[in-house]
Amino acid sequence: MKITSFSPLIMTNNSEGVREIFESLGFEKRHEKKSVTETNDGGFRMKDADGHGVSIAQVNQIPRDMVTVQMNVSDFEEAIALLKEHGFRNMKGEDDVIDTGSSKTAVMIAPSGFAINVVYHIKNR
């Protein structure tokens, strides 16, 4: 399994408020994605002048912010299987994956409580 990127992700029900905080720290919105699911209203990527990045996801059904690690991978199924071998479980249910057509994602929770959001970007063939 190849990790293509690894960075912080903030899941929140107030993405605009979080965006404002990061803008005051010198970050700019670089990429935005609208989602097609009822519980996720999309999100965006921000970077500062030194190339530090953070992703912010609008997740309407969480009561408070959750900070995770976003791990983009070249093989989604392999990454999920590896994390399950280490005791991780899918936050939404055993095999519940968000598939937007351009990406697949699942938030995996470690036995100790930290989370990794596994993302696979589907390439046009």
Side-chain angles (χ1 to χ4, degrees):
M1 174 192 71
K2 179 181 177 188
I3 296 172
T4 58
S5 70
F6 198 84
S7 62
L9 165 69
I10 300 170
M11 297 187 318
T12 180
N13 61 18
N14 181 16
S15 60
E16 287 306 307
V18 174
R19 177 192 54 78
E20 290 174 5
I21 293 168
F22 277 89
E23 283 180 343
S24 72
L25 295 169
F27 286 74
E28 294 179 2
K29 191 187 289 188
R30 298 291 175 105
H31 173 72
E32 186 166 4
K33 183 172 185 175
K34 294 292 182 187
S35 183
V36 294
T37 69
E38 292 178 17
T39 59
N40 181 316
D41 194 26
F44 45 89
R45 178 96 176 129
M46 299 184 82
K47 284 194 174 183
D48 71 1
D50 294 322
H52 301 109
V54 62
S55 294
I56 301 169
Q58 177 70 33
V59 182
N60 299 323
Q61 294 182 330
I62 60 172
R64 53 189 268 197
D65 293 354
M66 181 176 177
V67 179
T68 68
V69 174
Q70 179 168 312
M71 181 172 75
N72 293 2
V73 297
S74 62
D75 187 323
F76 186 80
E77 287 75 18
E78 182 182 11
I80 296 297
L82 184 136
L83 292 174
K84 284 182 177 181
E85 287 175 17
H86 289 278
F88 282 72
R89 61 176 175 73
N90 187 322
M91 182 173 100
K92 294 182 60 119
E94 182 62 29
D95 294 318
D96 197 350
V97 173
I98 296 171
D99 187 341
T100 66
S102 64
S103 65
K104 292 194 316 188
T105 184
V107 178
M108 303 297 290
I109 308 292
S112 63
F114 74 91
I116 297 178
N117 183 47
V118 179
V119 179
Y120 171 72
H121 292 283
I122 299 168
K123 284 103 179 145
N124 293 333
R125 293 185 174 24

